Amino acid sequence: MLVILMENQMLIPQSVCQSCLLADHSGQPRFRENQLRCGHPIRKPAAGAPDQYECQMGFRIANIQ
């Protein structure tokens, strides 16, 4: 499940990505084959942390399971 990480909260992608031109037709980030197509991977802040990405709009997205 993808979530958008803010300073002290997590948001569902639909609340942010819906207005993004790079989102898919359902307002979701383009995430396929464990890769964010509308952003790039960033270094994990700690061992055992979920995979994280930065989207083109500058938001941090985490893939939590």
Side-chain angles (χ1 to χ4, degrees):
M1 177 171 123
L2 295 176
V3 294
I4 295 179
L5 303 173
M6 302 296 280
E7 284 186 28
N8 59 356
Q9 62 182 331
M10 290 190 299
L11 303 172
I12 57 172
Q14 294 92 331
S15 64
V16 175
C17 299
Q18 192 111 30
S19 62
C20 179
L21 296 174
L22 299 174
D24 67 12
H25 67 279
S26 64
Q28 293 288 322
R30 295 186 184 273
F31 189 77
R32 290 187 184 83
E33 299 173 11
N34 290 329
Q35 186 176 14
L36 186 68
R37 305 288 182 183
C38 53
H40 61 275
I42 57 175
R43 181 194 259 160
K44 292 182 183 184
D51 292 335
Q52 294 187 18
Y53 306 87
E54 184 176 11
C55 76
Q56 294 292 326
M57 292 181 62
F59 292 101
R60 182 174 286 193
I61 300 174
N63 185 18
I64 59 173
Q65 302 194 14

